[in-house]
Amino acid sequence: LGPTVCVGEILVEIVATTVGDGFREAQPLIGPFASGAPAIFISQCGRLGGAAAMVGAVGNDDFGHVNIDRLRRDGVDVSTISIDPDYPTGSAFVRYRKDGSRDFVYNIARSAAARFGWSQGVRDLINRSGHLHVMGSALSVPSAREVIDKAVDIVKARGGTLSVDPNIRKELQLDEDTERRFARLVSAADLLLPSGEELERAASVSGEAEAIRRLFEVGVKEIVLKRGSLGATYFGRDGDRIDAPAFLVDEVDPTGAGDCFGGAYLTCRRLGMSPDEALTYGSAAGARNVTIRGPMEGAGTRQELDAFIASTERRS
Ligand code: ADP
């Protein structure tokens, strides 16, 4: 039914190589790496051989080409990534605190990443796409909202499917309009990919079981809950539950795990695999990505993930 399309921010990321509670202690930094959660997701789809296309924008600068070249190499259709003549490519600096958490310095609002919009090219792509993936975080970008609203309506009307990764942390306060849009997006989702507390946030209730029940009630068809190094769990509408233990790896850089997991899970499902098989590839993609520094440097091909699965133990 056509390619998987992802809409959202495209960034470069500059990454600390040591742990420190300030950027001065976290030296040296390395990069630029191709990044942005939606770009990581679609990179993993393309690397696994699924038909994939990206909608977003970069600046007319070298950082933009880092992204476009990378996604093209991954097999992603980049023809709907627009090049903004006036604004630079968005960027993020990330460092790791001693307590294991991360701190980001973003330049998105005044970058090309926040300025893409609906166009004839985007319309043509959406009109032939079979699946749309949206990150909740994209709803905070006004220009992305319009693209997402239109794209969701078109894809659903032509019998395509929608996946949603809430990608909204509980510290983030959303205004009422964004909350409403988010709720609408969640209820239209065929596949919901929350991590941790986002499950309850997406359902607006507390308690895992209650949240799952509520989400199926509003229309979600399939839920996969990501639990970091503890693994992931699939919930089906029919009451099915599959727990996928995490692979045992040394985490070097957690950025991008959830996006690689989601891109791999979705692509495998679209290629006809069962939830169980798709969970194995998703878990492998997430785990492999955290072993390599850089947001999407560890996104794997089918051969790389097969080799990883064959050679890596899982938690019991
Ligand atoms: P997000 O980045 O969206 O918060 P997670 O951190 O839960 O997502 O990671 C997604 C998936 O990647 C997990 O469900 C797990 O399968 C895998 N993963 C993430 N971190 C690790 C880790 N340290 N070891 C093994 N697997 C991991």
Side-chain angles (χ1 to χ4, degrees):
L1 197 63
T4 294
V5 175
C6 193
V7 177
E9 68 277 14
I10 302 171
L11 311 174
V12 286
E13 200 160 304
I14 317 288
V15 185
T17 53
T18 60
V19 175
D21 284 341
F23 270 107
R24 269 192 300 272
E25 298 93 68
Q27 297 287 335
L29 305 176
I30 56 166
F33 293 110
S35 190
I40 302 169
F41 179 95
I42 209 69
S43 156
Q44 180 60 82
C45 296
R47 284 183 75 80
L48 264 182
M54 181 75 201
V55 175
V58 294
N60 187 16
D61 51 35
D62 201 30
F63 283 177
H65 294 294
V66 165
N67 277 290
I68 290 180
D69 294 351
R70 166 61 201 262
L71 291 179
R72 190 182 280 128
R73 274 203 307 279
D74 291 338
V76 175
D77 176 354
V78 295
S79 58
T80 44
I81 297 178
S82 57
I83 298 182
D84 192 315
D86 300 319
Y87 283 78
T89 300
S91 57
F93 292 74
V94 59
R95 69 178 168 83
Y96 308 96
R97 287 179 179 275
K98 291 187 182 113
D99 68 4
S101 65
R102 281 174 290 174
D103 250 359
F104 289 91
V105 174
Y106 286 116
N107 170 25
I108 299 179
R110 269 163 280 153
S111 79
R115 288 172 41 88
F116 66 94
W118 191 248
S119 67
Q120 190 57 47
V122 173
R123 180 191 302 277
D124 292 345
L125 170 67
I126 302 297
N127 275 335
R128 62 182 177 81
S129 89
H131 184 91
L132 181 69
H133 179 74
V134 178
M135 303 265 171
S137 51
L139 294 177
S140 58
V141 176
S143 62
R145 290 176 179 175
E146 184 207 7
V147 178
I148 291 166
D149 280 353
K150 288 184 173 163
V152 168
D153 289 348
I154 295 173
V155 168
K156 297 290 275 193
R158 64 188 297 273
T161 44
L162 172 71
S163 53
V164 175
D165 183 332
N167 205 22
I168 290 179
R169 302 296 182 240
K170 83 169 175 279
E171 309 79 38
L172 209 69
Q173 291 298 317
L174 301 183
D175 60 35
E176 253 176 57
D177 178 51
T178 311
E179 285 283 7
R180 250 195 322 273
R181 286 168 185 275
F182 180 60
R184 211 161 60 90
L185 199 59
V186 166
S187 58
D190 296 277
L191 166 64
L192 191 68
L193 290 154
S195 75
E197 73 273 6
E198 292 169 351
L199 173 73
E200 291 163 58
R201 175 78 188 262
S204 301
V205 291
S206 39
E208 184 177 298
E210 182 57 18
I212 297 287
R213 197 188 62 72
R214 180 73 63 87
L215 289 166
F216 285 141
E217 205 174 80
V218 298
V220 177
K221 306 221 167 44
E222 188 169 324
I223 301 168
V224 180
L225 178 62
K226 298 171 282 179
R227 306 179 198 268
S229 60
L230 298 177
T233 304
Y234 162 91
F235 299 91
R237 278 182 85 89
D238 47 8
D240 264 10
R241 174 189 172 126
I242 307 169
D243 285 300
F247 287 90
L248 286 169
V249 295
D250 287 327
E251 183 177 290
V252 173
D253 181 353
T255 306
D259 311 318
C260 284
F261 178 101
Y265 181 85
L266 187 266
T267 300
C268 290
R269 291 290 281 142
R270 290 206 72 205
L271 291 171
M273 290 188 201
S274 66
D276 202 9
E277 284 175 291
L279 272 177
T280 300
Y281 279 103
S283 305
R288 183 177 188 276
N289 197 54
V290 304
T291 65
I292 299 173
R293 198 176 299 281
M296 60 168 93
E297 300 313 298
T301 61
R302 178 74 185 262
Q303 288 80 356
E304 286 166 340
L305 295 186
D306 281 335
F308 178 90
I309 291 165
S311 64
T312 315
E313 275 182 56
R314 299 180 82 165
R315 285 174 82 96
S316 44

mmCIF file with all atom_site columns, all heavy atoms in Angstrom, residues 194-210:
data_model
loop_
_atom_site.group_PDB
_atom_site.id
_atom_site.type_symbol
_atom_site.label_atom_id
_atom_site.label_alt_id
_atom_site.label_comp_id
_atom_site.label_asym_id
_atom_site.label_entity_id
_atom_site.label_seq_id
_atom_site.pdbx_PDB_ins_code
_atom_site.Cartn_x
_atom_site.Cartn_y
_atom_site.Cartn_z
_atom_site.occupancy
_atom_site.B_iso_or_equiv
_atom_site.pdbx_formal_charge
_atom_site.auth_seq_id
_atom_site.auth_comp_id
_atom_site.auth_asym_id
_atom_site.auth_atom_id
_atom_site.pdbx_PDB_model_num
ATOM 1   N N   . PRO A 1 194 ? 4.581  3.706  23.322 1.00 0.00 ? 194 PRO A N   1
ATOM 2   C CA  . PRO A 1 194 ? 5.006  4.556  24.437 1.00 0.00 ? 194 PRO A CA  1
ATOM 3   C C   . PRO A 1 194 ? 6.223  3.959  25.148 1.00 0.00 ? 194 PRO A C   1
ATOM 4   O O   . PRO A 1 194 ? 6.487  2.760  25.042 1.00 0.00 ? 194 PRO A O   1
ATOM 5   C CB  . PRO A 1 194 ? 3.796  4.517  25.369 1.00 0.00 ? 194 PRO A CB  1
ATOM 6   C CG  . PRO A 1 194 ? 3.173  3.182  25.109 1.00 0.00 ? 194 PRO A CG  1
ATOM 7   C CD  . PRO A 1 194 ? 3.442  2.842  23.684 1.00 0.00 ? 194 PRO A CD  1
ATOM 8   N N   . SER A 1 195 ? 6.951  4.801  25.854 1.00 0.00 ? 195 SER A N   1
ATOM 9   C CA  . SER A 1 195 ? 7.981  4.252  26.731 1.00 0.00 ? 195 SER A CA  1
ATOM 10  C C   . SER A 1 195 ? 7.711  4.757  28.140 1.00 0.00 ? 195 SER A C   1
ATOM 11  O O   . SER A 1 195 ? 7.301  5.899  28.343 1.00 0.00 ? 195 SER A O   1
ATOM 12  C CB  . SER A 1 195 ? 9.385  4.620  26.240 1.00 0.00 ? 195 SER A CB  1
ATOM 13  O OG  . SER A 1 195 ? 9.678  5.949  26.515 1.00 0.00 ? 195 SER A OG  1
ATOM 14  N N   . GLY A 1 196 ? 7.890  3.857  29.109 1.00 0.00 ? 196 GLY A N   1
ATOM 15  C CA  . GLY A 1 196 ? 7.727  4.200  30.522 1.00 0.00 ? 196 GLY A CA  1
ATOM 16  C C   . GLY A 1 196 ? 6.398  4.875  30.817 1.00 0.00 ? 196 GLY A C   1
ATOM 17  O O   . GLY A 1 196 ? 5.323  4.374  30.478 1.00 0.00 ? 196 GLY A O   1
ATOM 18  N N   . GLU A 1 197 ? 6.504  6.052  31.453 1.00 0.00 ? 197 GLU A N   1
ATOM 19  C CA  . GLU A 1 197 ? 5.305  6.745  31.946 1.00 0.00 ? 197 GLU A CA  1
ATOM 20  C C   . GLU A 1 197 ? 4.433  7.317  30.827 1.00 0.00 ? 197 GLU A C   1
ATOM 21  O O   . GLU A 1 197 ? 3.311  7.759  31.075 1.00 0.00 ? 197 GLU A O   1
ATOM 22  C CB  . GLU A 1 197 ? 5.693  7.843  32.938 1.00 0.00 ? 197 GLU A CB  1
ATOM 23  C CG  . GLU A 1 197 ? 6.328  9.084  32.316 1.00 0.00 ? 197 GLU A CG  1
ATOM 24  C CD  . GLU A 1 197 ? 7.841  8.991  32.130 1.00 0.00 ? 197 GLU A CD  1
ATOM 25  O OE1 . GLU A 1 197 ? 8.420  7.911  32.380 1.00 0.00 ? 197 GLU A OE1 1
ATOM 26  O OE2 . GLU A 1 197 ? 8.444  9.997  31.723 1.00 0.00 ? 197 GLU A OE2 1
ATOM 27  N N   . GLU A 1 198 ? 4.930  7.316  29.596 1.00 0.00 ? 198 GLU A N   1
ATOM 28  C CA  . GLU A 1 198 ? 4.119  7.842  28.485 1.00 0.00 ? 198 GLU A CA  1
ATOM 29  C C   . GLU A 1 198 ? 2.843  7.018  28.263 1.00 0.00 ? 198 GLU A C   1
ATOM 30  O O   . GLU A 1 198 ? 1.873  7.528  27.708 1.00 0.00 ? 198 GLU A O   1
ATOM 31  C CB  . GLU A 1 198 ? 4.922  7.843  27.182 1.00 0.00 ? 198 GLU A CB  1
ATOM 32  C CG  . GLU A 1 198 ? 6.067  8.834  27.169 1.00 0.00 ? 198 GLU A CG  1
ATOM 33  C CD  . GLU A 1 198 ? 7.002  8.625  25.985 1.00 0.00 ? 198 GLU A CD  1
ATOM 34  O OE1 . GLU A 1 198 ? 6.863  7.610  25.269 1.00 0.00 ? 198 GLU A OE1 1
ATOM 35  O OE2 . GLU A 1 198 ? 7.878  9.475  25.795 1.00 0.00 ? 198 GLU A OE2 1
ATOM 36  N N   . LEU A 1 199 ? 2.856  5.760  28.686 1.00 0.00 ? 199 LEU A N   1
ATOM 37  C CA  . LEU A 1 199 ? 1.662  4.917  28.511 1.00 0.00 ? 199 LEU A CA  1
ATOM 38  C C   . LEU A 1 199 ? 0.481  5.528  29.261 1.00 0.00 ? 199 LEU A C   1
ATOM 39  O O   . LEU A 1 199 ? -0.591 5.739  28.692 1.00 0.00 ? 199 LEU A O   1
ATOM 40  C CB  . LEU A 1 199 ? 1.949  3.497  29.026 1.00 0.00 ? 199 LEU A CB  1
ATOM 41  C CG  . LEU A 1 199 ? 0.736  2.575  29.049 1.00 0.00 ? 199 LEU A CG  1
ATOM 42  C CD1 . LEU A 1 199 ? 0.349  2.157  27.641 1.00 0.00 ? 199 LEU A CD1 1
ATOM 43  C CD2 . LEU A 1 199 ? 1.006  1.337  29.902 1.00 0.00 ? 199 LEU A CD2 1
ATOM 44  N N   . GLU A 1 200 ? 0.708  5.825  30.549 1.00 0.00 ? 200 GLU A N   1
ATOM 45  C CA  . GLU A 1 200 ? -0.371 6.383  31.353 1.00 0.00 ? 200 GLU A CA  1
ATOM 46  C C   . GLU A 1 200 ? -0.710 7.801  30.914 1.00 0.00 ? 200 GLU A C   1
ATOM 47  O O   . GLU A 1 200 ? -1.865 8.212  30.925 1.00 0.00 ? 200 GLU A O   1
ATOM 48  C CB  . GLU A 1 200 ? 0.013  6.346  32.836 1.00 0.00 ? 200 GLU A CB  1
ATOM 49  C CG  . GLU A 1 200 ? 0.050  4.917  33.346 1.00 0.00 ? 200 GLU A CG  1
ATOM 50  C CD  . GLU A 1 200 ? 0.800  4.767  34.653 1.00 0.00 ? 200 GLU A CD  1
ATOM 51  O OE1 . GLU A 1 200 ? 0.410  5.416  35.635 1.00 0.00 ? 200 GLU A OE1 1
ATOM 52  O OE2 . GLU A 1 200 ? 1.773  3.982  34.679 1.00 0.00 ? 200 GLU A OE2 1
ATOM 53  N N   . ARG A 1 201 ? 0.316  8.526  30.497 1.00 0.00 ? 201 ARG A N   1
ATOM 54  C CA  . ARG A 1 201 ? 0.105  9.886  30.001 1.00 0.00 ? 201 ARG A CA  1
ATOM 55  C C   . ARG A 1 201 ? -0.793 9.867  28.755 1.00 0.00 ? 201 ARG A C   1
ATOM 56  O O   . ARG A 1 201 ? -1.712 10.678 28.618 1.00 0.00 ? 201 ARG A O   1
ATOM 57  C CB  . ARG A 1 201 ? 1.477  10.487 29.687 1.00 0.00 ? 201 ARG A CB  1
ATOM 58  C CG  . ARG A 1 201 ? 1.462  11.850 29.054 1.00 0.00 ? 201 ARG A CG  1
ATOM 59  C CD  . ARG A 1 201 ? 1.189  12.919 30.106 1.00 0.00 ? 201 ARG A CD  1
ATOM 60  N NE  . ARG A 1 201 ? 0.986  14.205 29.452 1.00 0.00 ? 201 ARG A NE  1
ATOM 61  C CZ  . ARG A 1 201 ? 1.914  15.130 29.316 1.00 0.00 ? 201 ARG A CZ  1
ATOM 62  N NH1 . ARG A 1 201 ? 3.110  14.931 29.804 1.00 0.00 ? 201 ARG A NH1 1
ATOM 63  N NH2 . ARG A 1 201 ? 1.641  16.259 28.711 1.00 0.00 ? 201 ARG A NH2 1
ATOM 64  N N   . ALA A 1 202 ? -0.525 8.919  27.859 1.00 0.00 ? 202 ALA A N   1
ATOM 65  C CA  . ALA A 1 202 ? -1.311 8.841  26.618 1.00 0.00 ? 202 ALA A CA  1
ATOM 66  C C   . ALA A 1 202 ? -2.756 8.457  26.897 1.00 0.00 ? 202 ALA A C   1
ATOM 67  O O   . ALA A 1 202 ? -3.672 8.854  26.182 1.00 0.00 ? 202 ALA A O   1
ATOM 68  C CB  . ALA A 1 202 ? -0.675 7.841  25.650 1.00 0.00 ? 202 ALA A CB  1
ATOM 69  N N   . ALA A 1 203 ? -2.961 7.662  27.964 1.00 0.00 ? 203 ALA A N   1
ATOM 70  C CA  . ALA A 1 203 ? -4.313 7.203  28.289 1.00 0.00 ? 203 ALA A CA  1
ATOM 71  C C   . ALA A 1 203 ? -5.029 8.154  29.237 1.00 0.00 ? 203 ALA A C   1
ATOM 72  O O   . ALA A 1 203 ? -6.233 8.007  29.462 1.00 0.00 ? 203 ALA A O   1
ATOM 73  C CB  . ALA A 1 203 ? -4.233 5.816  28.917 1.00 0.00 ? 203 ALA A CB  1
ATOM 74  N N   . SER A 1 204 ? -4.288 9.114  29.814 1.00 0.00 ? 204 SER A N   1
ATOM 75  C CA  . SER A 1 204 ? -4.816 10.023 30.840 1.00 0.00 ? 204 SER A CA  1
ATOM 76  C C   . SER A 1 204 ? -5.416 9.289  32.029 1.00 0.00 ? 204 SER A C   1
ATOM 77  O O   . SER A 1 204 ? -6.441 9.697  32.587 1.00 0.00 ? 204 SER A O   1
ATOM 78  C CB  . SER A 1 204 ? -5.895 10.958 30.255 1.00 0.00 ? 204 SER A CB  1
ATOM 79  O OG  . SER A 1 204 ? -5.375 11.705 29.206 1.00 0.00 ? 204 SER A OG  1
ATOM 80  N N   . VAL A 1 205 ? -4.817 8.162  32.396 1.00 0.00 ? 205 VAL A N   1
ATOM 81  C CA  . VAL A 1 205 ? -5.230 7.453  33.619 1.00 0.00 ? 205 VAL A CA  1
ATOM 82  C C   . VAL A 1 205 ? -3.978 6.901  34.283 1.00 0.00 ? 205 VAL A C   1
ATOM 83  O O   . VAL A 1 205 ? -2.937 6.778  33.637 1.00 0.00 ? 205 VAL A O   1
ATOM 84  C CB  . VAL A 1 205 ? -6.173 6.252  33.341 1.00 0.00 ? 205 VAL A CB  1
ATOM 85  C CG1 . VAL A 1 205 ? -7.524 6.706  32.851 1.00 0.00 ? 205 VAL A CG1 1
ATOM 86  C CG2 . VAL A 1 205 ? -5.555 5.245  32.400 1.00 0.00 ? 205 VAL A CG2 1
ATOM 87  N N   . SER A 1 206 ? -4.078 6.522  35.553 1.00 0.00 ? 206 SER A N   1
ATOM 88  C CA  . SER A 1 206 ? -2.916 5.882  36.156 1.00 0.00 ? 206 SER A CA  1
ATOM 89  C C   . SER A 1 206 ? -3.128 4.374  36.268 1.00 0.00 ? 206 SER A C   1
ATOM 90  O O   . SER A 1 206 ? -4.263 3.891  36.324 1.00 0.00 ? 206 SER A O   1
ATOM 91  C CB  . SER A 1 206 ? -2.555 6.509  37.503 1.00 0.00 ? 206 SER A CB  1
ATOM 92  O OG  . SER A 1 206 ? -3.706 6.812  38.202 1.00 0.00 ? 206 SER A OG  1
ATOM 93  N N   . GLY A 1 207 ? -2.025 3.662  36.248 1.00 0.00 ? 207 GLY A N   1
ATOM 94  C CA  . GLY A 1 207 ? -2.067 2.204  36.300 1.00 0.00 ? 207 GLY A CA  1
ATOM 95  C C   . GLY A 1 207 ? -1.935 1.612  34.904 1.00 0.00 ? 207 GLY A C   1
ATOM 96  O O   . GLY A 1 207 ? -2.659 2.001  33.979 1.00 0.00 ? 207 GLY A O   1
ATOM 97  N N   . GLU A 1 208 ? -0.987 0.666  34.776 1.00 0.00 ? 208 GLU A N   1
ATOM 98  C CA  . GLU A 1 208 ? -0.705 0.105  33.445 1.00 0.00 ? 208 GLU A CA  1
ATOM 99  C C   . GLU A 1 208 ? -1.921 -0.602 32.824 1.00 0.00 ? 208 GLU A C   1
ATOM 100 O O   . GLU A 1 208 ? -2.289 -0.342 31.681 1.00 0.00 ? 208 GLU A O   1
ATOM 101 C CB  . GLU A 1 208 ? 0.477  -0.865 33.558 1.00 0.00 ? 208 GLU A CB  1
ATOM 102 C CG  . GLU A 1 208 ? 0.923  -1.440 32.231 1.00 0.00 ? 208 GLU A CG  1
ATOM 103 C CD  . GLU A 1 208 ? 2.145  -2.347 32.389 1.00 0.00 ? 208 GLU A CD  1
ATOM 104 O OE1 . GLU A 1 208 ? 3.201  -1.853 32.831 1.00 0.00 ? 208 GLU A OE1 1
ATOM 105 O OE2 . GLU A 1 208 ? 2.027  -3.544 32.075 1.00 0.00 ? 208 GLU A OE2 1
ATOM 106 N N   . ALA A 1 209 ? -2.565 -1.459 33.637 1.00 0.00 ? 209 ALA A N   1
ATOM 107 C CA  . ALA A 1 209 ? -3.675 -2.253 33.096 1.00 0.00 ? 209 ALA A CA  1
ATOM 108 C C   . ALA A 1 209 ? -4.830 -1.341 32.668 1.00 0.00 ? 209 ALA A C   1
ATOM 109 O O   . ALA A 1 209 ? -5.447 -1.533 31.609 1.00 0.00 ? 209 ALA A O   1
ATOM 110 C CB  . ALA A 1 209 ? -4.155 -3.258 34.144 1.00 0.00 ? 209 ALA A CB  1
ATOM 111 N N   . GLU A 1 210 ? -5.114 -0.336 33.510 1.00 0.00 ? 210 GLU A N   1
ATOM 112 C CA  . GLU A 1 210 ? -6.194 0.591  33.208 1.00 0.00 ? 210 GLU A CA  1
ATOM 113 C C   . GLU A 1 210 ? -5.876 1.396  31.944 1.00 0.00 ? 210 GLU A C   1
ATOM 114 O O   . GLU A 1 210 ? -6.743 1.645  31.097 1.00 0.00 ? 210 GLU A O   1
ATOM 115 C CB  . GLU A 1 210 ? -6.405 1.510  34.427 1.00 0.00 ? 210 GLU A CB  1
ATOM 116 C CG  . GLU A 1 210 ? -7.532 2.510  34.318 1.00 0.00 ? 210 GLU A CG  1
ATOM 117 C CD  . GLU A 1 210 ? -8.893 1.883  34.034 1.00 0.00 ? 210 GLU A CD  1
ATOM 118 O OE1 . GLU A 1 210 ? -9.063 0.662  34.252 1.00 0.00 ? 210 GLU A OE1 1
ATOM 119 O OE2 . GLU A 1 210 ? -9.787 2.623  33.557 1.00 0.00 ? 210 GLU A OE2 1
#
